[in-house]
Amino acid sequence: MYAPLRTSVRTSRLPLRGLAPLVAIAALAVVVSGQPAAAHGISGGGLGSGFLHPLLGSDHLLLLLGVGAAAASLSAQLLLWGLAGALAGGVYGALGGGLPAAEVLAALAISAVAALVLRSQNSPTTTGANAGQGLAGSVIATAVAIHAMLHGQAVPAEIAASSWWLGALAASTLVAGGSYLVLRQQGAIWSQRLALGLALAGGLLAFAPVLG
């Protein structure tokens, strides 16, 4: 007698859970890209307003998530690079400094940080590890500095400005540090998926005014 043939049909399931971060961030970017870019002009109202801004300012929130993902994928020291960039950019903007097309650069900064996370999939050799971390730190500091510069330009003259900055710093630390801690406990694939969504979101935010 012949043994019955067993055919194994392997069904491929679309990783819906894996696509969730990408879809959510892309949807957020589509919504935000249709709104006027006025998120950087709300640096007033004291501690509570400052704390809420990184949570309600969508581009700021996306950047902080990217910083946390980069720190989880590469090195926790990138959080310190981000802090340095925030201080430098905030002071520069408060003193009247600026950049051409700063809003576009702020959006592209999100994609640049996402590119760091995607690039981290190719593990650097021991010889080039320090140089790679230096480059990553420079990208993180520059990206955060651009966003902080925009806030510095809009900072109010009254004494409430200092409490606004304290609130914004506390919330930014919470978001970037929290996303770092969460993603560090997950597999690297989660940081990669998040980075894909952030790269797409940054591009949409940057070019939506042109395409629209």
Side-chain angles (χ1 to χ4, degrees), residues 8 16-17 19 24 55 70-71 95 103 149 170-171 185:
S8 61
L16 295 179
R17 291 180 59 190
L19 290 176
L55 308 178
L95 294 176
E103 293 284 352
M149 177 198 70
Q185 299 300 323

Side-chain angles (χ1 to χ4, degrees), residues 1-112:
M1 296 180 65
Y2 294 98
L5 294 176
R6 295 182 179 179
T7 58
S8 61
V9 179
R10 185 175 296 178
T11 60
S12 59
R13 296 181 179 178
L14 187 65
L16 295 179
R17 291 180 59 190
L19 290 176
L22 191 155
V23 173
I25 293 175
L28 175 62
V30 170
V31 173
V32 174
S33 63
Q35 300 176 354
H40 296 108
I42 60 172
S43 299
L47 184 68
S49 178
F51 186 86
L52 287 176
H53 178 69
L55 308 178
L56 301 180
S58 304
D59 58 341
H60 195 111
L61 177 61
L62 295 177
L63 177 69
L64 292 172
L65 290 174
V67 171
S73 301
L74 292 168
S75 169
Q77 293 181 1
L78 293 180
L79 296 174
L80 298 179
W81 283 87
L83 176 60
L87 295 175
V91 171
Y92 179 69
L95 294 176
L99 291 172
E103 293 284 352
V104 175
L105 292 176
L108 292 177
I110 300 172
S111 297

Side-chain angles (χ1 to χ4, degrees), residues 120-176:
S120 69
Q121 192 172 12
N122 302 323
S123 301
T125 59
T126 305
T127 305
N130 292 331
Q133 283 196 13
L135 174 61
S138 299
V139 172
I140 293 293
T142 302
V144 176
I146 293 173
H147 282 250
M149 177 198 70
L150 292 170
H151 299 313
Q153 291 173 344
V155 71
E158 65 268 15
I159 194 170
S162 59
S163 60
W164 187 95
W165 282 111
L166 287 176
L169 178 62
S172 298
T173 302
L174 179 66
V175 174

